[in-house]
Structures are given as structure tokens and as C-alpha cells.
Amino acid sequence: MRTGVAIDLGTSGFRAQKIDLETGDIKKTVITLRNPLPGANVMDHLDFAIHYGLDKAHGLSATAVKNILTELGVNPAEMEKFSICGNPIQLSIFQGIPIEDLAYAGERKKQKYHIEEQNRDARIISMAEIEGFEEATNCKLFVPPAIKHEVGADALALIVKAGMIESNDIAIATDYGTNAEMALKANGIIYTGSAAAGPALEGQEIEYGSIASPHTICDVEFEGENLRCYVLDRDMKTTMGDLVNPKTGEVVEKREITAKGITGTGVIALIEAGMRNKLIVLPKIQTSEGIIHLQNGIKFTNKDLIAAGRAIGAIRAGHITLCAAAGIEMEDLRVAHMSGAAGTYMDAAKAHQVGMIPYNASYVSQIGNTSLIVAREILLSEDRLWELQAIAKEILGTHVMFATSEAFKEAYLLELAYWNEGMAFKMLQKFLKKKKLPMIGEPSLILKIDRKVERDIPELGEEGLEVLEKVGTYLTMVIEDCEGCHKCVKVCPNGALRVEENGTVKIRTDLCDGANCQRCLHACPDDRFKWENLKVAGI
């Protein structure tokens, strides 16, 4: 069989498929539950690559991909084609392309540090040119283009697969993930942005959270005063789970399927159902413990509610900001497209009620993992790659950098006050008007939901889905004369670190919180724990 591999290099995890190049058939799918780089968001990944070396970041990304190839049963030396898609940071790190031009928002800053813009057009090169894949001499690497250096192939995939190029409708498309890429089309112009919502929508930074994978709760609904859990089965299909008393955890009705965590979509469903039934009155959970109980001992806490509220607020602030840039009102948005795993498994009606879909929307389409779809398309057709390059050049686009946008700053502060501080919704509306920002009304009663795919990855292949729970990437170093106090191990919140007798430190990078943590670094009494000394190790 002539073999190719298509992969979505996502911030929250990698998703890959083995493809029969003769027939175009998908043979097997492998997903990871975390990105191999330390940290839970793209800013952590940027920080790691810039401060500790692009070579280390690339080494972790490449090692994870090689472990995925092993799980797919693909020998790099025998592979003919390999295609990638994702945001510019992930694609650049994998290819070993400098990322400084992606790290700084201001042009003056770039000039000060003599930072050059990197070419991120579509290209086909030998896979053997990528460090770590020297044996793949017979393989071609296909890389889709960015629209602009900061608006990547994943955003292009979202725009194209949502049909925004052909349509003249005022419409917004959102990839509901860690970075929440979004695109608004109005008056023939496409406005793009990335809200950096954080990993809560991917089920991370939630105590019992998990990326969408088998045996995770993806939806909930009240039955009387009890909560019915809905769980993804082995084939990623939604299955009825236990009926639980949310205040005590008592199982009212037991079902066969077990759950090991809750997805971001499950979190959204839980918040919507909780608010509708007064179990949640912002900013707190209204139980004696401040906890909502789900099946198999899974809990949702006030801390989780805060993290989720920040993510929801970031997305709505992003929508407001793009509308402001386009000079339209939120009420003008009648068409919305949802992509990504969260955008697929999320109950669109519930997402609409909590404000993740513009309230005036009357039509919503759920279109799946557009990044992986495009990776497969360019794997099977070189013509498709150059067609996407032409589209990227032709798009009349305006990128709104939320990090420097005054509109986003104002909108997001109001969202934080609403979700985390208990500010009334009418007060939120009042302040939006005062700040002359696009207004938010009440949710429309008429909403047509067009769920185009049942799963974010519609086809898994005849060999099915494999979840790589351990990415298999490690950072390691030897601390000379280590006293063995293990303080660095004890402070690690995720159990990502271990120290062996000879002072060898080993960090499981997919569990490491990266720049937002570094407790290990500060815990060493002799200041010998230095991240710059870490090296990429094998499994």
C-alpha cells in the first residue's frame, strides 16, 4: 500500500490519519490528549520555544509525531506523503522555522530586535529536510499556506470549509478550541482574530477535564432534579450514561458506560443546564459544597466555573471585537459556523444560550475538524494545495490583533465581571453601550441547527481510533550533587516530574504546565534546577 499521513497539529493535541494514497481511504486515526510542548496554550508554547530554544520545541514536536507514526503503524522510510495543518506557531515549530515574528504584536518591536518576517506560503519539500526525519527520503511534506503570517492554515481551513468564500452572507465562523480562531465576513471583507480562550473549552484546566475522547462526558441534561450524563463511547458516539443527584453524587440510575472525565462541551452543557435550573447563579455554584457531582466521582467546582467563564467570555469578546472592526452590530450576525472538536460535540442550542454563538443567529452549522480535513485534501491533491495558496492571496482580509485591541480589552473586562464577579446581564449591556461597542441582546427563539458531521473526525478508518494517552515526550537533565530532597517533585501539580537517584530529572512534557507554573524551578533550595539545561529525551 502506498501510504500517506495527514495530521492536525493542534494546540490542545495532535490528530493524525493514515491514508491509502491509491484509493484515498482512511485506514486508521490516532489522537493525543495533550500537545507535547509544556503549557496548556499557544503562548506557553511560544514562551518555551523563545526562552529555551526552538530546537527543543521542535524536538518535542517531532518526537511526538514519530510516536504517532509508530501508533499508526507507519514506517517513515516507507511513507510517500506527509501533510500538516494547524496554526502558524505549531506548523513553524514542527518545521523548525523561527517564530519570533509571531511572538511580537508591534511593528516597532520587530524593528528594534531586527526580526524578519518568515515566508509561510504553501510549499512542498522533502520530509528528510525536517530534523528528526532524515530517514524519510522518499516522502514529500505538504504545507498549506497562511493568509497572513499571523493568520494560519487552520484559519484558512475554517474559512474555506465554512463556505465563506462563496457566500455573501454576513457570517461568523469559530474554531472552539484553545486559541478560538474566528473569522467574520461582512461587506466582502473577512476579518480574522484569535481569542486565546485557553484550554477550558478542550476540557483542560478543568479538574476532571479531558479532551474529547472515549469515556468522557460530552453533554448533560436535567431529568427532574437529577442530572443525566451523556458519554462518548469507543467510536466517539454519544451514549446515555448515569443519572446522578448533582448535589450528593448519588447514582439514581446506573448505565453500562463509565466516564473518566468531562470534555469542554460537557462543561458548556453543564453551565447552561445549571444556570437554567438555578444550580448555578453567577459567579457561584449553589450547592452546600460549591460542587456539582457527575457520574463515576467526576466533579465540577467553583474554580472550574471561573476557568470556563473566562473562556466563554473571551469568545464573546472576540465576536464583539470583530463586529466593531467591521462596523456592524452583533444583531447583524444571523449565520454562525462551529468547527473543531468542541464545536462539533457541543450542543449548539446550549452554546447559544450562554453566548458562545451570537444571540441573533438564526442558522448554525457544525462542520467538524476543518484543519484535519484540509490536511487530508492536500495530501491527496497537489492541485488543492496550490488552489488554497491562490485563495489565501486573494482573500481581502483584515486581521484584528486582540492583544492590542482596545475594543477587545473593554469587552473582555466586562465579560470577566459578568462571569466571575456576578455583574448583572443588564449592567453588561449598559456598559457595552457606554463604551460604544456592539450590543448584545437576548437569545433568539428561532435557531436552525445544521449538524453536518456526527463526530469532529467523521471517518476513523477500518482500523479505528487509537488514543495515545502518553505522547511519549520528555525533557531531561542531570543535576550534579543533587541532595535528593525531591522538593521539585512534590510541588509539581500534575505529577509530570520525577528525579532518579543519580540526580537525573525527567519531565513528562505533555503534563507540564510550562511557563505558567515552573514551581519545580523555584523549589530547588540550591538553585540547581535550571530549565535551560533540559534536553529532549526519547521515550
Side-chain angles (χ1 to χ4, degrees):
M1 185 180 79
R2 293 178 54 223
T3 302
V5 171
I7 186 165
D8 165 29
L9 299 173
T11 300
S12 59
F14 293 174
R15 298 158 181 86
Q17 292 186 319
K18 177 170 65 174
I19 311 289
D20 182 336
L21 296 176
E22 295 284 359
T23 64
D25 293 342
I26 298 165
K27 309 304 288 185
K28 186 177 182 179
T29 301
V30 170
I31 66 173
T32 70
L33 297 181
R34 295 284 294 262
N35 187 290
L37 270 67
N41 60 64
V42 76
M43 298 310 295
D44 287 339
H45 301 166
L46 260 179
D47 177 88
F48 178 82
I50 288 173
H51 286 99
Y52 302 106
L54 178 60
D55 57 332
K56 292 177 184 177
H58 166 75
L60 292 172
S61 182
T63 300
V65 168
K66 286 193 284 187
N67 292 341
I68 289 169
L69 291 177
T70 299
E71 205 68 28
L72 285 171
V74 174
N75 183 343
E78 298 174 357
M79 185 170 56
E80 283 192 36
K81 293 182 178 182
F82 188 87
S83 63
I84 57 178
C85 195
N87 69 54
I89 293 167
Q90 302 299 339
L91 295 196
S92 297
I93 287 173
F94 175 74
Q95 295 174 84
I97 296 173
I99 56 173
E100 281 77 9
D101 61 323
L102 301 174
Y104 300 101
E107 291 302 321
R108 281 187 292 181
K109 194 91 168 179
K110 293 177 184 178
Q111 291 173 7
K112 179 181 178 181
Y113 292 107
H114 306 290
I115 295 169
E116 294 183 8
E117 299 282 339
Q118 299 295 319
N119 186 336
R120 293 186 173 86
D121 287 341
R123 66 175 188 156
I124 302 173
I125 62 170
S126 170
M127 186 73 173
E129 292 183 29
I130 305 299
E131 187 176 348
F133 295 91
E134 290 80 6
E135 73 273 34
T137 54
N138 299 316
C139 181
K140 291 181 178 180
L141 171 64
F142 292 74
V143 184
I147 300 173
K148 293 183 177 180
H149 83 279
E150 71 272 41
V151 186
D154 54 347
L156 178 61
L158 173 64
I159 291 165
V160 170
K161 302 314 290 185
M164 297 178 79
I165 303 296
E166 303 86 2
S167 174
N168 291 320
D169 291 335
I170 295 177
I172 195 160
T174 309
D175 185 339
Y176 290 89
T178 303
N179 297 317
E181 290 88 2
M182 53 187 69
L184 167 69
K185 185 172 184 181
N187 303 316
I189 300 174
I190 293 177
Y191 299 83
T192 57
S194 178
L201 297 180
E202 299 281 4
Q204 297 172 29
E205 286 190 355
I206 302 294
E207 185 175 353
Y208 287 86
S210 170
I211 195 170
S213 55
H215 296 285
T216 51
I217 297 169
C218 63
D219 200 359
V220 300
E221 189 53 81
F222 270 93
E223 294 182 11
E225 295 184 354
N226 298 313
L227 265 179
R228 172 71 69 186
C229 298
Y230 291 87
V231 185
L232 294 175
D233 67 10
R234 185 68 184 81
D235 296 319
M236 300 290 281
K237 293 181 179 179
T238 303
T239 306
M240 185 181 286
D242 295 352
L243 185 65
V244 180
N245 183 320
K247 296 180 180 179
T248 66
E250 176 192 355
V251 179
V252 179
E253 180 189 318
K254 184 72 178 171
R255 306 288 290 195
E256 289 186 11
I257 194 164
T258 58
K260 63 179 182 182
I262 182 169
T263 67
T265 63
V267 167
I268 298 304
L270 183 58
I271 290 172
E272 190 278 333
M275 291 174 69
R276 177 162 37 92
N277 288 271
K278 307 300 182 186
L279 193 62
I280 295 174
V281 177
L282 293 178
K284 294 187 180 297
I285 295 169
Q286 302 299 303
T287 64
S288 58
E289 300 175 291
I291 292 171
I292 297 176
H293 294 271
L294 302 166
Q295 74 173 78
N296 299 112
I298 296 166
K299 301 171 185 176
F300 185 76
T301 67
N302 277 318
K303 184 179 178 182
D304 296 331
L305 180 60
I306 289 171
R310 287 172 181 165
I312 298 168
I315 285 177
R316 186 157 63 184
H319 290 170
I320 291 170
T321 304
L322 290 186
C323 286
I328 66 171
E329 295 296 329
M330 287 284 281
E331 66 182 20
D332 296 325
L333 282 175
R334 300 301 177 90
V335 176
H337 305 280
M338 306 173 70
S339 77
T344 301
Y345 296 112
M346 200 179 295
D347 184 318
K350 293 172 182 173
H352 183 234
Q353 289 295 316
V354 298
M356 296 180 69
I357 297 169
Y359 280 159
N360 288 87
S362 56
Y363 171 80
V364 176
S365 69
Q366 295 176 278
I367 56 180
N369 186 321
T370 54
S371 190
L372 185 57
I373 290 170
V374 165
R376 183 186 171 208
E377 287 179 354
I378 63 175
L379 185 82
L380 296 173
S381 171
E382 184 175 328
D383 288 343
R384 180 58 168 159
L385 177 67
W386 303 124
E387 180 186 335
L388 289 172
Q389 177 64 70
I391 292 171
K393 293 294 185 184
E394 290 171 6
I395 287 176
L396 182 57
T398 300
H399 182 66
V400 182
M401 188 70 74
F402 291 171
T404 58
S405 167
E406 194 64 26
F408 183 81
K409 174 186 172 183
E410 297 286 0
Y412 190 46
L413 284 173
L414 292 175
E415 290 289 340
L416 289 179
Y418 172 72
W419 285 101
N420 295 164
E421 304 297 333
M423 184 175 75
F425 183 69
K426 287 186 177 180
M427 190 64 71
L428 170 64
Q429 292 175 309
K430 179 180 177 180
F431 276 104
L432 285 172
K433 185 176 182 179
K434 184 178 180 180
K435 299 289 184 180
K436 297 181 179 179
L437 291 170
M439 289 291 294
I440 301 170
E442 299 291 335
S444 62
L445 299 176
I446 302 172
L447 183 67
K448 179 184 177 183
I449 299 170
D450 184 5
R451 189 164 183 173
K452 295 182 179 295
V453 293
E454 187 178 354
R455 300 176 293 218
D456 67 316
I457 306 175
E459 295 181 64
L460 300 176
E462 62 185 35
E463 296 177 41
L465 172 70
E466 195 72 38
V467 179
L468 196 58
E469 297 198 14
K470 292 183 179 180
V471 180
T473 51
Y474 298 87
L475 288 169
T476 185
M477 66 178 169
V478 176
I479 299 179
E480 299 293 340
D481 301 320
C482 175
E483 295 182 359
C485 66
H486 286 229
K487 288 184 178 179
C488 55
V489 177
K490 294 171 185 174
V491 298
C492 180
N494 301 328
L497 189 154
R498 72 174 188 261
V499 179
E500 297 172 357
E501 290 184 5
N502 62 354
T504 298
V505 173
K506 204 167 187 181
I507 298 174
R508 183 178 155 184
T509 60
D510 59 324
L511 294 182
C512 176
D513 278 343
N516 278 331
C517 178
Q518 294 191 342
R519 297 181 191 179
C520 52
L521 190 153
H522 304 296
C524 183
D526 298 322
D527 197 28
R528 290 176 179 162
F529 197 113
K530 298 185 183 299
W531 270 49
E532 54 266 31
N533 294 335
L534 290 165
K535 297 179 180 178
V536 178
I539 300 175

